[in-house]
mmCIF file of all heavy atoms in Angstrom:
data_model
loop_
_atom_site.group_PDB
_atom_site.id
_atom_site.type_symbol
_atom_site.label_atom_id
_atom_site.label_comp_id
_atom_site.label_asym_id
_atom_site.label_seq_id
_atom_site.Cartn_x
_atom_site.Cartn_y
_atom_site.Cartn_z
ATOM 1 N N VAL V 74 110.064 200.009 58.360
ATOM 2 C CA VAL V 74 108.778 199.726 59.088
ATOM 3 C C VAL V 74 108.080 198.674 58.234
ATOM 4 O O VAL V 74 108.241 198.596 56.964
ATOM 5 C CB VAL V 74 107.917 201.011 59.136
ATOM 6 C CG1 VAL V 74 108.519 202.021 60.011
ATOM 7 C CG2 VAL V 74 107.625 201.640 57.777
ATOM 8 N N PRO V 75 107.172 197.865 58.962
ATOM 9 C CA PRO V 75 106.575 196.734 58.306
ATOM 10 C C PRO V 75 105.326 197.194 57.437
ATOM 11 O O PRO V 75 104.300 196.395 57.342
ATOM 12 C CB PRO V 75 106.123 195.919 59.444
ATOM 13 C CG PRO V 75 105.909 196.772 60.581
ATOM 14 C CD PRO V 75 106.884 197.914 60.380
ATOM 15 N N VAL V 76 105.369 198.384 56.808
ATOM 16 C CA VAL V 76 104.229 198.827 55.981
ATOM 17 C C VAL V 76 104.943 199.530 54.881
ATOM 18 O O VAL V 76 106.025 200.174 54.977
ATOM 19 C CB VAL V 76 103.164 199.716 56.727
ATOM 20 C CG1 VAL V 76 102.419 198.853 57.758
ATOM 21 C CG2 VAL V 76 103.816 200.860 57.327
ATOM 22 N N GLY V 77 104.303 199.580 53.677
ATOM 23 C CA GLY V 77 104.783 200.380 52.659
ATOM 24 C C GLY V 77 106.011 199.748 51.951
ATOM 25 O O GLY V 77 106.299 198.597 52.159
ATOM 26 N N GLU V 78 106.786 200.621 51.298
ATOM 27 C CA GLU V 78 107.993 200.033 50.521
ATOM 28 C C GLU V 78 109.326 200.509 51.239
ATOM 29 O O GLU V 78 110.214 201.059 50.702
ATOM 30 C CB GLU V 78 107.994 200.579 49.095
ATOM 31 C CG GLU V 78 106.685 200.085 48.417
ATOM 32 C CD GLU V 78 106.729 200.531 46.884
ATOM 33 O OE1 GLU V 78 107.728 201.071 46.432
ATOM 34 O OE2 GLU V 78 105.732 200.318 46.226
ATOM 35 N N GLY V 79 109.325 200.285 52.591
ATOM 36 C CA GLY V 79 110.512 200.835 53.195
ATOM 37 C C GLY V 79 111.597 199.745 53.597
ATOM 38 O O GLY V 79 112.196 199.916 54.539
ATOM 39 N N TYR V 80 111.652 198.703 52.790
ATOM 40 C CA TYR V 80 112.640 197.650 53.054
ATOM 41 C C TYR V 80 113.500 197.607 51.864
ATOM 42 O O TYR V 80 113.300 197.902 50.685
ATOM 43 C CB TYR V 80 111.869 196.338 53.075
ATOM 44 C CG TYR V 80 111.149 196.180 54.378
ATOM 45 C CD1 TYR V 80 109.738 195.998 54.270
ATOM 46 C CD2 TYR V 80 111.820 196.088 55.638
ATOM 47 C CE1 TYR V 80 109.057 195.892 55.550
ATOM 48 C CE2 TYR V 80 111.056 195.976 56.732
ATOM 49 C CZ TYR V 80 109.584 195.772 56.717
ATOM 50 O OH TYR V 80 108.997 195.673 57.903
ATOM 51 N N ALA V 81 114.773 197.228 52.182
ATOM 52 C CA ALA V 81 115.813 196.820 51.187
ATOM 53 C C ALA V 81 115.756 195.314 50.825
ATOM 54 O O ALA V 81 115.204 194.498 51.555
ATOM 55 C CB ALA V 81 117.194 197.161 51.818
ATOM 56 N N MET V 82 116.105 195.099 49.646
ATOM 57 C CA MET V 82 116.160 193.713 49.162
ATOM 58 C C MET V 82 117.585 193.335 48.923
ATOM 59 O O MET V 82 118.497 194.076 48.332
ATOM 60 C CB MET V 82 115.455 193.583 47.787
ATOM 61 C CG MET V 82 113.878 193.867 47.904
ATOM 62 S SD MET V 82 113.124 192.450 48.754
ATOM 63 C CE MET V 82 113.199 191.202 47.533
ATOM 64 N N THR V 83 117.970 192.173 49.488
ATOM 65 C CA THR V 83 119.287 191.728 49.385
ATOM 66 C C THR V 83 119.265 190.145 48.896
ATOM 67 O O THR V 83 118.402 189.434 49.338
ATOM 68 C CB THR V 83 120.075 191.855 50.663
ATOM 69 O OG1 THR V 83 120.097 193.116 51.165
ATOM 70 C CG2 THR V 83 121.432 191.301 50.713
ATOM 71 N N ALA V 84 120.329 189.854 47.992
ATOM 72 C CA ALA V 84 120.451 188.540 47.617
ATOM 73 C C ALA V 84 121.139 187.640 48.750
ATOM 74 O O ALA V 84 122.285 187.893 49.143
ATOM 75 C CB ALA V 84 121.260 188.372 46.270
ATOM 76 N N PHE V 85 120.477 186.637 49.252
ATOM 77 C CA PHE V 85 121.038 185.715 50.268
ATOM 78 C C PHE V 85 121.196 184.450 49.597
ATOM 79 O O PHE V 85 120.489 184.098 48.600
ATOM 80 C CB PHE V 85 120.043 185.552 51.531
ATOM 81 C CG PHE V 85 120.068 186.822 52.301
ATOM 82 C CD1 PHE V 85 119.194 187.904 52.116
ATOM 83 C CD2 PHE V 85 120.909 186.934 53.494
ATOM 84 C CE1 PHE V 85 119.205 189.060 52.915
ATOM 85 C CE2 PHE V 85 120.868 188.022 54.285
ATOM 86 C CZ PHE V 85 120.041 189.091 53.980
ATOM 87 N N GLU V 86 122.141 183.567 50.199
ATOM 88 C CA GLU V 86 122.244 182.327 49.713
ATOM 89 C C GLU V 86 121.757 181.291 50.743
ATOM 90 O O GLU V 86 122.345 181.383 51.919
ATOM 91 C CB GLU V 86 123.728 182.060 49.353
ATOM 92 C CG GLU V 86 124.002 180.547 48.856
ATOM 93 C CD GLU V 86 125.407 180.298 48.611
ATOM 94 O OE1 GLU V 86 126.035 181.132 47.995
ATOM 95 O OE2 GLU V 86 125.936 179.192 48.997
ATOM 96 N N PHE V 87 120.784 180.506 50.497
ATOM 97 C CA PHE V 87 120.159 179.593 51.437
ATOM 98 C C PHE V 87 120.359 178.127 51.009
ATOM 99 O O PHE V 87 119.858 177.760 49.987
ATOM 100 C CB PHE V 87 118.670 179.728 51.587
ATOM 101 C CG PHE V 87 118.296 181.139 51.865
ATOM 102 C CD1 PHE V 87 117.810 182.012 50.772
ATOM 103 C CD2 PHE V 87 118.341 181.734 53.106
ATOM 104 C CE1 PHE V 87 117.471 183.323 51.107
ATOM 105 C CE2 PHE V 87 118.030 182.925 53.416
ATOM 106 C CZ PHE V 87 117.585 183.892 52.284
ATOM 107 N N LYS V 88 121.291 177.355 51.618
ATOM 108 C CA LYS V 88 121.649 176.020 51.263
ATOM 109 C C LYS V 88 122.007 175.924 49.824
ATOM 110 O O LYS V 88 121.430 175.078 49.132
ATOM 111 C CB LYS V 88 120.477 175.174 51.647
ATOM 112 C CG LYS V 88 120.094 175.227 53.167
ATOM 113 C CD LYS V 88 118.955 174.151 53.518
ATOM 114 C CE LYS V 88 119.574 172.753 53.605
ATOM 115 N NZ LYS V 88 118.631 171.776 54.110
ATOM 116 N N GLY V 89 122.889 176.815 49.437
ATOM 117 C CA GLY V 89 123.325 176.790 48.139
ATOM 118 C C GLY V 89 122.368 177.386 46.982
ATOM 119 O O GLY V 89 122.863 177.569 45.877
ATOM 120 N N GLU V 90 121.197 177.973 47.428
ATOM 121 C CA GLU V 90 120.340 178.565 46.454
ATOM 122 C C GLU V 90 120.260 180.082 46.793
ATOM 123 O O GLU V 90 120.025 180.424 47.942
ATOM 124 C CB GLU V 90 118.930 177.962 46.615
ATOM 125 C CG GLU V 90 118.010 178.585 45.625
ATOM 126 C CD GLU V 90 116.488 177.865 45.820
ATOM 127 O OE1 GLU V 90 116.406 176.950 46.582
ATOM 128 O OE2 GLU V 90 115.515 178.479 45.349
ATOM 129 N N SER V 91 120.523 180.860 45.889
ATOM 130 C CA SER V 91 120.495 182.310 45.917
ATOM 131 C C SER V 91 119.114 182.794 45.648
ATOM 132 O O SER V 91 118.542 182.565 44.510
ATOM 133 C CB SER V 91 121.559 182.921 44.967
ATOM 134 O OG SER V 91 121.533 184.367 45.030
ATOM 135 N N ARG V 92 118.515 183.628 46.561
ATOM 136 C CA ARG V 92 117.295 184.300 46.401
ATOM 137 C C ARG V 92 117.257 185.577 47.040
ATOM 138 O O ARG V 92 117.922 185.911 48.003
ATOM 139 C CB ARG V 92 116.140 183.254 47.165
ATOM 140 C CG ARG V 92 115.905 181.994 46.498
ATOM 141 C CD ARG V 92 115.202 182.204 45.198
ATOM 142 N NE ARG V 92 113.843 182.778 45.364
ATOM 143 C CZ ARG V 92 112.796 182.039 45.583
ATOM 144 N NH1 ARG V 92 112.863 180.850 45.613
ATOM 145 N NH2 ARG V 92 111.567 182.695 45.763
ATOM 146 N N MET V 93 116.345 186.398 46.498
ATOM 147 C CA MET V 93 116.132 187.849 47.117
ATOM 148 C C MET V 93 115.324 187.721 48.371
ATOM 149 O O MET V 93 114.291 187.053 48.358
ATOM 150 C CB MET V 93 115.587 188.757 45.967
ATOM 151 C CG MET V 93 116.423 188.944 44.871
ATOM 152 S SD MET V 93 118.066 189.863 45.205
ATOM 153 C CE MET V 93 117.487 191.467 45.672
ATOM 154 N N ALA V 94 115.604 188.485 49.422
ATOM 155 C CA ALA V 94 114.785 188.497 50.584
ATOM 156 C C ALA V 94 114.886 189.946 51.113
ATOM 157 O O ALA V 94 115.942 190.643 50.915
ATOM 158 C CB ALA V 94 115.357 187.531 51.650
ATOM 159 N N GLY V 95 113.805 190.275 51.773
ATOM 160 C CA GLY V 95 113.711 191.559 52.410
ATOM 161 C C GLY V 95 114.753 191.659 53.673
ATOM 162 O O GLY V 95 114.879 190.475 54.244
ATOM 163 N N VAL V 96 115.296 192.703 53.867
ATOM 164 C CA VAL V 96 116.123 192.724 55.112
ATOM 165 C C VAL V 96 115.837 193.937 56.011
ATOM 166 O O VAL V 96 115.615 195.100 55.451
ATOM 167 C CB VAL V 96 117.618 192.700 54.773
ATOM 168 C CG1 VAL V 96 117.932 193.906 53.806
ATOM 169 C CG2 VAL V 96 118.578 192.659 55.903
ATOM 170 N N ASN V 97 115.884 193.793 57.347
ATOM 171 C CA ASN V 97 115.496 194.776 58.170
ATOM 172 C C ASN V 97 116.500 194.822 59.306
ATOM 173 O O ASN V 97 116.728 193.809 59.934
ATOM 174 C CB ASN V 97 114.096 194.803 58.725
ATOM 175 C CG ASN V 97 113.720 196.048 59.525
ATOM 176 O OD1 ASN V 97 114.374 197.127 59.395
ATOM 177 N ND2 ASN V 97 112.519 196.101 60.030
#
């Protein structure tokens, strides 16, 4: 849900750069 700490974090690669992003 878009409130609180209900999201997982996953490492994605964007144009060769690895960054953590929330995923739903």
